[in-house]
Amino acid sequence: MKRVMASALTLALILGAVGCGEKKDDNASIIGGADGPTSIYLAPSTGSDKASEDQTADVLEAEEIIVTPKGVPEETTHEYKPGEGGFGNLPNAEGQEGEWIDLNYASVSEYFPDPHGHESMKDGYTKETDLDGDGTLEKIVIKDLKYNGGDGGYLPHVYKADGEEIKLPIDSESNPYATLWGDEDVEIFQEDVGIGALSWDEVKQIYQSKGYTEEAFEELRNNLSKDAWIRGDFASGFVINDDGKKPELIIKFYMQGMGGHADTLGYVLMHLTLNSNGTWNQEKAEFVLDK
């Protein structure tokens, strides 16, 4: 049964945690991301919200995500496109026992040929391109955040031709993605908005493709706390996707699995386009498989 979690969740902002430890309260389990400052955690709500968890729905209601830098008037903010996310599409909700199911997800290698060692994962890496279509080149420069775990932290900074920075909707204190490991599925969130979900059949296949036996997979699953939250790591590089339309700045975020930082569940890719007034549109947040 599919669950719509966005309306049953509240966003809790808890300032920086260092290391890979686990932080718990009475209602949530949050397992650490990359070593370094973070500011976004997620926690399930309690009380009367339980009733809404039990209701069924096929489509996630539209929710707004603010992706415009601070200081820009509110009317220029971008509404997250509900058609790009939600829990209405579990491709393989019921896999056949013993059969290899068809995972309907792109591979990160379609964007990043070497996702764990991409060329953009280097301090000072620079690329120039015309992101907003005005005929002048923007410069994208990587800053190494010195994080450990996962793919580390490599934050892009974007500059105009005159050197003025065009602030991204993320910074060194942001960590927008997390997974909720529930009884029925594994749900993926950007802050408090659901962007997708994996059935446990799909999760099992991801682990089997990495060489896990069914026994090892079940042991990892059984060690999870009930409704555990596992937060993703920070931004770790970028590519430019220019298919003849408006160029996209695509930033990758490593999503760890049940076994910690060495265990890659997959990635979430943040697709951004730049407007002529210096604001950003988030076109989609896309879950992709490891290479």
Side-chain angles (χ1 to χ4, degrees):
M1 181 181 295
K2 306 178 181 69
R3 297 182 299 167
V4 176
M5 295 295 296
S7 62
L9 299 172
T10 57
L11 173 65
L13 299 179
I14 302 174
L15 291 176
V18 178
C20 300
E22 181 177 8
K23 181 177 180 63
K24 296 182 178 178
D25 59 26
D26 292 338
N27 302 308
S29 175
I30 303 172
I31 301 175
D35 295 345
T38 58
S39 65
I40 295 179
Y41 288 75
L42 299 170
S45 56
T46 59
S48 61
D49 288 338
K50 180 64 174 67
S52 62
E53 290 188 37
D54 296 333
Q55 297 175 351
T56 60
D58 290 329
V59 180
L60 182 68
E61 294 296 330
E63 298 237 9
E64 184 178 0
I65 292 180
I66 303 302
V67 297
T68 303
K70 293 179 180 179
V72 176
E74 289 187 4
E75 59 267 19
T76 64
T77 58
H78 172 68
E79 183 176 291
Y80 187 85
K81 299 178 180 179
E84 302 290 355
F87 302 125
N89 180 27
L90 287 174
N92 302 291
E94 296 294 337
Q96 296 298 314
E97 185 70 24
E99 292 186 6
W100 203 253
I101 58 180
D102 181 20
L103 293 179
N104 296 328
Y105 301 95
S107 168
V108 67
S109 61
E110 295 179 24
Y111 299 93
F112 295 83
D114 182 8
H116 301 289
H118 189 257
E119 60 183 351
S120 65
M121 295 164 60
K122 182 179 179 180
D123 193 45
Y125 172 82
T126 301
K127 189 174 184 65
E128 293 186 350
T129 190
D130 183 7
L131 289 171
D132 59 4
D134 67 353
T136 60
L137 299 180
E138 281 73 41
K139 181 183 293 185
I140 306 106
V141 182
I142 281 289
K143 179 180 180 181
D144 185 354
L145 299 176
K146 309 296 183 183
Y147 288 2
N148 297 315
D151 285 351
Y154 298 90
L155 177 66
H157 291 261
V158 182
Y159 300 91
K160 296 180 180 178
D162 62 6
E164 179 185 354
E165 183 169 6
I166 307 170
K167 292 291 187 181
L168 288 170
I170 54 173
D171 57 28
S172 59
E173 300 297 322
S174 299
N175 194 337
Y177 298 109
T179 47
L180 173 62
W181 297 70
D183 291 335
E184 297 179 7
D185 55 23
V186 177
E187 297 168 359
I188 306 166
F189 287 83
Q190 177 170 325
E191 299 184 4
D192 63 344
V193 175
I195 61 174
L198 298 166
S199 71
W200 275 104
D201 288 327
E202 292 177 314
V203 174
K204 180 187 287 189
Q205 180 164 317
I206 289 172
Y207 277 83
Q208 288 177 333
S209 69
K210 296 192 292 182
Y212 281 76
T213 64
E214 184 164 352
E215 291 75 15
F217 167 76
E218 291 299 337
E219 181 178 356
L220 280 176
R221 181 176 178 178
N222 291 334
N223 286 336
L224 283 177
S225 302
K226 182 176 176 58
D227 287 335
W229 285 96
I230 301 180
R231 60 188 173 99
D233 290 344
F234 193 63
S236 55
F238 74 94
V239 292
I240 302 298
N241 182 32
D242 187 356
D243 59 0
K245 301 178 182 178
K246 194 170 188 179
E248 286 186 330
L249 173 63
I250 302 176
I251 305 172
K252 71 179 174 71
F253 294 80
Y254 179 98
M255 302 301 292
Q256 62 175 308
M258 295 179 283
H261 285 308
D263 178 14
T264 313
L265 176 67
Y267 289 86
V268 174
L269 304 181
M270 180 183 283
H271 293 245
L272 298 172
T273 56
L274 180 63
N275 299 314
S276 59
N277 64 356
T279 62
W280 297 92
N281 286 344
Q282 180 172 345
E283 302 299 338
K284 64 180 177 180
E286 176 185 14
F287 175 77
V288 295
L289 301 171
D290 195 9
K291 59 178 181 177

